Amino acid sequence: MNITRVEVTPKQGDGLSDVRGDVVRRQLLADHDVKVGDVRSIVGFLISSNIPSEEISDRVDDLFADPIIEFSCTDELFIRNEEQFSKTPDAVISVGFKAGVTDNPGAAALDGFRTIFPHTDAESKISTYITYIFYDLPSEITIEWLENTLHNQLIQRAISSNKEDCQNQNWPEIEYTAKPKQVFENPKYVSLEISDEELIDLSENGLLALNLEEMQTIQSHYRDESVRESRKAAGIVEDAPTDVELECLAQTWSEHCKHKIFASKIHHTDLETGEKSTIDSIFKTHIMNPTHDMQKEVDWLLSVFHDNSGVIAWDDDWSVCMKAETHNSPSALDPYGGAMTGIVGVNRDILGTGLGARPIANTDVFCFGPPNWEGELPDNLFHPSRVLRGVHAGVRVGGNESGIPTINGAIVFDDRYIGKPLVYCGTVGIMPRRLNDGRESHIKTPTAGDIVYMVGGRVGYDGIHGATFSSLELTEESPSSAVQIGDPITQKKMLDMVLEARDLGLITCITDNGAGGLSSSIGEMAEYTNGCEIDLAKVPLKQQGLSAWEILVSESQERMTIAVSGKDVAEFESLAKLHEVEATAVAEFTSTGNFHVKYNEDTVAFLPIEFLHDGVPQLQLQSEWSPPQLVKFEPPKDINHSELLLKMLGRPNIASKETWVRQYDHEVIAQTVVKPFVGVERDGPGDAGLIAPIHGSTHGIVVSCGINPRYSDIDAGAMAAASIDEAVRNAVCAGVDVDKIAGLDNFCWPDPIESEKTPDGKFKLAQLVRANRELERVCRAYRLPCVSGKDSMKNDYGKGENKISIPPTLLFSLFGDHPDVRYTATSDLKDHGERLYLVGTSHDELGASEISFMLSEEDDAIGIGGNVPKLENPEQNLSTYRELSKSIRSGLVKTSHDCSEGGVAVAIAEMCIGGRIGAIIDVDGTGDENLWARLWGESLGRFIVGVKPENEQEWLEAMSGHGITYLGETTQQENLVIKDGFDEIIDLKVSDMVNSWQNTLDMTGGGN
Amino acid sequence: MYTPKVAVLFGFGINCDHETAAVFELVGGSAERIHLNKFINQQASLSEYDILAVPGGFSFGDHLGSGRLMGNRMRFALRDELHKFVEDGKPIIGICNGFQVLVKTGLLPGPEAENPLPDFHQRASLTLNDSGRYEDRWVTLEFDQNSPCIWTKGITRIDCPVRHGEGKFVMPESTDLDRLAKSNQLAVRYVDSSTEPGEGITDEPLPFPISPNGSMRNIAGICDSTGLVFGLMPHPEAVYAKWLHPDHTRGTAPGPETSNSLGKWEGEGLQIFRNAIEYIQANR
């Protein structure tokens, strides 16, 4: 192997510039207020191959450089070229990947290299790096700070030259480094005939994340005589687990995979009411049972809970499914890679639903610390602006490159998310109701004897211990192997191939490889036939030398596990070849009742399927509720509400996220009817996404979400109810058929198990109980089945006094039917003279409102306590929503916006912004006597609706009995005027509101 | 009436193949999504088709420059077939990533009119937007009425989305652009929507976001000198229906008042695809 270095740099002048370098300059300005004169960039390739450098050099402009826009050089450093880099820079930093970390540009380069040099040998590799060259760097900026800002030590390496080095022409020179050799170790036997303390040590030191009772359950399994006999027959040591088995059990029984807290028996005490009760599984009691009850009443709930996503019948030909996931811990360690694997991971959940569904829409909801945070940062945590940039870039690349539009989402800010950012990624999928061979595509049809393939990427050391790691709190020692970078193109090729295989009828069973790797994917599918036999030696590896347990549990990305009937094997393999997708037979389904794992001829794991899946003992937990004692929010006297509104519009939780959202492709597939931003200038807020996925048809799907974590400060139950109501309101704005909606519950909680490190565990668990009770109450009232969901229960950072716990957070996502996308509404005001109404009533509910947080943060008020918004009568709401939605679908109403953060004042301001039109409204008579409640309160169940004068009477008749109040109308003026009876409260120019709303999160650093 | 056969390429990260096939079907074509490797492995023959579409996407993740690696595969493996396709008078369209592919194979802008058939020599490029950002936003396009482009006949102005990070069209010398302008190959430009239709085209650089990427002379798309090969960064297929236009929710989405495809709901983008279908029907 010889190593050839190729470097490429953009040409300058004559309309050409180094945009990549300039983006770094702009971001330093936007995020850190650091003004750098100029930044240039060089992309480097280190080619380890059998092709001589001279041959490569001759073809550089055919592959590595585009001669129209770039200069290239071979086997030298461009920075030495005085023609290109005549001025002495102040700093030079080269950033490359650590060996073994996914290098997508390198992999693509190698693919292109083989096109040009077909005789490239199999071991060849290309790794890439980028060199940044800084001119006119402020003298106070140290090279260490710059280096840390530009790379993540966990996955990247950086070398640099400071000012002195530059003057001496000492340039950074990244060398090719091969992956470190991995040493294969034979499976070890781990004796469990040890004390309880030693069992705990074994769990903690091995990152197994199992508690004592679980370890003891495993211990007694190996003491069982019948188990020992069957093990003896299988040729594996009888009385102790192998490391393969222990790891496999730890993955399968992890909180991440088994949801042990939601399945636990909770002894609940309510100190407020004196209630004492026992809940045998929150999940079964409050989520599954209500949905199963609803399943008896409708014919469109095809598949709930048991598959990778929930499936509903959409029409006679198509069914639709949706799933949302979180990827919080990986995103904390590497925002870019963590978030990217989050989005491409949930795409695979859709691909792995039924016999394979096609992902057609993504949703992204993030919770971060404030991007303008100026306080201290705990060790090992990134600044929120960096988390935002990284997560956003990961989701952008993952979604855009996969060709899946991002149609809905939200970004929420709160200080506590500095400790753990939340990264929710959701995907909607579609599949034909029936395949050509007559099978219903939402039902898996495996039989014993089917061949099980691993399809897509290979298995590597990256991604070991993700599931168990995410079941632990974040510490400074969190492992880097838990972090991966996604490879959307490998996945896209796989996706194309899998959907073709589905349509050809070649798939009997499919699931994705996520948490727990092959151990989980094959293990779960083996439940259908009651057994499987795997040969780990057949599994293709990224690098040789992985031990058996590592192969079994590695969570390396871009892999599906697919079962194929023996007769279809040849066709399946040739299809994979056409698509250049690796598909390897690694297992076979059996009906032996055993999860049987071999490495070549040796049995390395032999676990009864039943024990593997149902053996984990139920947790017994205590919860105790007493309402938090908070200082009530008291609004200040004599404050200028116009100024308040401008400030509120600039609050990160309210401000426009357009800079970020516009970087997502929201229109690929040519189906997006209501886009994330709407209105005259296409920059007003959209409430819900609306798509028409079948080309030429106007049948639609509405996708929306709701999230209100700060209400948990007062009551997590109210938080849950508010989130569900918000998701439904948003969908109503688009005209959803409220009688055909389905939801997803994604809980992110701080650790709710009482322990030394979590002394307030009982309270946190009581919050979970209250949230789920409200979830059940509201979903039953709205007849809104939860068809899929997920929970992430360890969202804490650090220990003791430095511990940061996130506010208990429920993301409620919703997807529903829309009969005809031609009739929908958006938030932007449409025309002069439009008549404006408030649907719903404003109550005295200012507790935990955005205005209370803003004023108490600015010391203009004390406290955020008080009444949190409540959903007193959801049945009544549903009836109002049904009527409003109908009036949108009948074309009577074109303007509708839900009132959420910032209440009526912010909602009407956003509507003026979208329409670039003034309005005059009067909030007198819209509810509570307290003006603050009517102006800024966040009471649920409210919308502002605009209706044309000619449709007003008909609409009023339709809405009679539904609690609507006339607010005012749009005007020819360029102002928003809000009155309270005779008093003028607010008078603002629309253009000033636009500026406030758009500036906060622009963060582009100028320059277009 | 003959039903033209359209090959819509997919594979390796192309991702607008479904909708690109759908719009050809809506205007009377018979479109088939075909994996590029089927042509390379000779499991399918390009000569069986009347029209070739290279849709948008992220072939090979845009690494090493958008369209580069896909362009190389086509340039090295399908050179003769592509040459013959154009020689036979068959239209090719590249949209977004497909345009980038056609530019990097050298099919666009192609050689001068004296010897117009493909020589697979790259003369132009598409590079990073001046903003440095990938963005999805709507733009207004105007077409050169005198262009030989068979795809754009009779179209003055349309709105459609751009969705790219590397859409800035550049050529080495301004004389290169002069040559294309003279032969009316600068088929489509970004224009200020407040100008009168037909009067929007200008060589002066328009500000962001009217020109979303800083393209030289506001170029959004070009054709070769035969007028058969056409590529553009914006996505006309994404506005095949009025309900996909952002002004649809305001009741003001532009488009034909009637059509034989979607009645009064046809969007402005569909005519481009109908032009190619009708061209085949008229010239076959």
Side-chain angles (χ1 to χ4, degrees), chain B residues 6-284:
Chain B
V6 186
V8 177
L9 282 189
F10 85 108
F12 304 115
I14 285 178
N15 56 37
C16 298
D17 43 323
H18 286 273
E19 61 264 40
T20 305
V23 292
F24 279 109
E25 295 269 341
L26 279 172
V27 293
S30 165
E32 199 181 331
R33 293 167 53 243
I34 301 186
H35 197 283
L36 173 66
N37 274 354
K38 280 202 173 168
F39 288 126
I40 292 177
N41 303 341
Q42 296 171 345
Q43 288 168 268
S45 167
L46 203 50
S47 63
E48 303 280 307
Y49 296 87
D50 302 301
I51 296 171
L52 172 66
V54 190
F58 275 88
S59 56
F60 296 97
D62 274 2
H63 299 301
L64 279 69
S66 54
R68 197 87 208 281
L69 296 173
M70 188 83 162
N72 273 354
R73 286 219 182 186
M74 290 171 64
R75 188 157 63 109
F76 294 124
L78 294 177
R79 197 183 179 99
D80 296 341
E81 289 84 348
L82 287 165
H83 190 278
K84 174 110 180 10
F85 202 82
V86 179
E87 191 174 21
D88 288 348
K90 294 177 176 179
I92 299 177
I93 190 169
I95 301 169
C96 193
N97 196 226
F99 179 33
Q100 293 161 338
V101 168
L102 296 185
V103 167
K104 293 181 186 187
T105 57
L107 280 168
L108 285 173
E112 292 184 43
E114 299 84 72
N115 197 4
L117 294 179
D119 61 1
F120 299 94
H121 177 67
Q122 184 184 342
R123 293 174 171 83
S125 194
L126 289 147
T127 185
L128 289 169
N129 298 349
D130 281 351
S131 68
R133 294 192 297 280
Y134 175 103
E135 284 197 333
D136 176 343
R137 61 167 69 245
W138 282 65
V139 294
T140 301
L141 304 176
E142 210 161 285
F143 296 82
D144 180 346
Q145 299 302 304
N146 301 314
S147 175
C149 184
I150 68 103
W151 294 86
T152 61
K153 291 276 181 253
I155 307 174
T156 307
R157 174 178 283 198
I158 69 169
D159 294 341
C160 60
V162 288
R163 312 194 303 251
H164 62 247
E166 298 180 39
K168 176 177 176 169
F169 183 86
V170 299
M171 293 185 82
E173 306 289 339
S174 72
T175 48
D176 297 326
L177 293 161
D178 293 340
R179 175 179 72 82
L180 294 189
K182 200 167 160 232
S183 52
N184 300 98
Q185 285 175 254
L186 305 180
V188 53
R189 318 258 202 126
Y190 304 107
V191 298
D192 184 342
S193 63
S194 67
T195 56
E196 283 299 313
E199 290 169 19
I201 290 180
T202 171
D203 287 348
E204 288 305 307
L206 290 166
F208 177 88
I210 295 172
S211 166
N213 47 35
S215 265
M216 290 178 172
R217 300 192 189 183
N218 310 304
I219 293 166
I222 59 170
C223 64
D224 73 342
S225 59
T226 68
L228 290 167
V229 187
F230 173 52
L232 75 172
M233 286 312 299
H235 287 271
E237 82 285 2
V239 60
Y240 76 83
K242 281 183 182 145
W243 59 76
L244 297 172
H245 193 287
D247 290 344
H248 155 63
T249 56
R250 301 181 62 83
T252 55
E257 280 171 22
T258 60
S259 88
N260 51 15
S261 297
L262 291 164
K264 68 173 182 170
W265 289 95
E266 175 169 327
E268 290 183 305
L270 213 44
Q271 186 59 35
I272 288 180
F273 305 94
R274 184 181 288 117
N275 277 342
I277 295 292
E278 288 177 351
Y279 176 84
I280 292 294
Q281 287 168 339
N283 293 284
R284 185 169 171 268

Side-chain angles (χ1 to χ4, degrees), chain A residues 266-549:
Chain A
I266 297 175
H267 305 280
H268 181 65
T269 307
D270 187 331
L271 296 178
E272 201 180 11
T273 63
E275 177 204 339
K276 275 185 182 296
S277 53
T278 303
I279 304 155
D280 188 1
S281 172
I282 284 182
F283 172 65
K284 280 190 184 142
T285 310
H286 296 303
I287 301 173
M288 200 168 90
N289 288 349
T291 294
H292 281 157
D293 288 345
M294 286 180 246
Q295 203 170 16
K296 291 172 198 144
E297 290 167 18
V298 298
D299 60 359
W300 45 267
L301 282 172
L302 294 182
S303 166
V304 291
F305 302 124
H306 70 270
D307 206 339
N308 289 313
S309 70
V311 188
I312 67 168
W314 183 51
D315 63 17
D316 291 343
D317 298 324
W318 299 93
S319 49
V320 171
C321 55
M322 187 172 179
K323 170 77 165 196
E325 282 272 10
T326 51
H327 232 220
N328 308 335
S329 299
S331 301
L333 296 177
D334 175 32
Y336 176 75
M340 196 206 286
T341 47
I343 191 71
V344 296
V346 73
N347 293 163
R348 286 198 306 277
D349 276 321
I350 296 303
L351 189 60
T353 295
L355 295 170
R358 179 182 171 217
I360 54 167
N362 285 337
T363 65
D364 307 306
V365 176
F366 309 142
C367 302
F368 297 136
N372 51 358
W373 177 254
E374 287 175 357
E376 290 285 303
L377 280 179
D379 292 346
N380 222 29
L381 293 180
F382 292 121
H383 189 274
S385 69
R386 181 159 176 188
V387 178
L388 166 59
R389 272 196 203 285
V391 166
H392 171 264
V395 164
R396 182 192 71 219
V397 170
N400 290 0
E401 293 191 7
S402 303
I404 302 166
T406 299
I407 61 163
N408 189 248
I411 310 181
V412 177
F413 298 97
D414 183 280
D415 296 356
R416 291 162 283 183
Y417 294 119
I418 289 173
K420 189 75 119 15
L422 303 186
V423 176
Y424 292 96
C425 298
T427 302
V428 179
I430 194 166
M431 56 181 151
R433 291 283 296 273
R434 280 179 192 283
L435 300 181
N436 287 335
D437 56 26
R439 286 182 297 160
E440 290 185 278
S441 62
H442 67 278
I443 299 172
K444 299 185 197 293
T445 57
T447 44
D450 284 355
I451 309 298
V452 181
Y453 282 83
M454 188 180 93
V455 178
R458 295 183 153 215
V459 170
Y461 190 68
D462 53 338
I464 287 177
H465 276 155
T468 48
F469 159 62
S470 70
S471 304
L472 300 166
E473 78 278 7
L474 207 54
T475 65
E476 289 169 38
E477 298 88 33
S478 299
S480 64
S481 65
V483 175
Q484 300 189 63
I485 296 178
D487 173 3
I489 295 308
T490 294
Q491 177 149 323
K492 173 70 174 151
K493 289 195 287 186
M494 174 178 77
L495 193 140
D496 287 343
M497 179 250 162
V498 167
L499 292 177
E500 240 179 84
R502 175 199 71 187
D503 290 340
L504 291 168
L506 304 179
I507 295 174
T508 68
C509 197
I510 178 170
T511 197
D512 85 303
N513 281 279
L518 288 173
S519 158
S520 289
S521 68
I522 302 183
E524 281 167 23
M525 295 203 319
E527 270 193 292
Y528 287 97
T529 64
N530 198 29
C532 65
E533 190 175 310
I534 308 175
D535 183 356
L536 294 174
K538 289 184 179 158
V539 174
L541 303 178
K542 290 183 186 175
Q543 63 198 116
Q544 293 311 308
L546 261 69
S547 302
W549 73 266

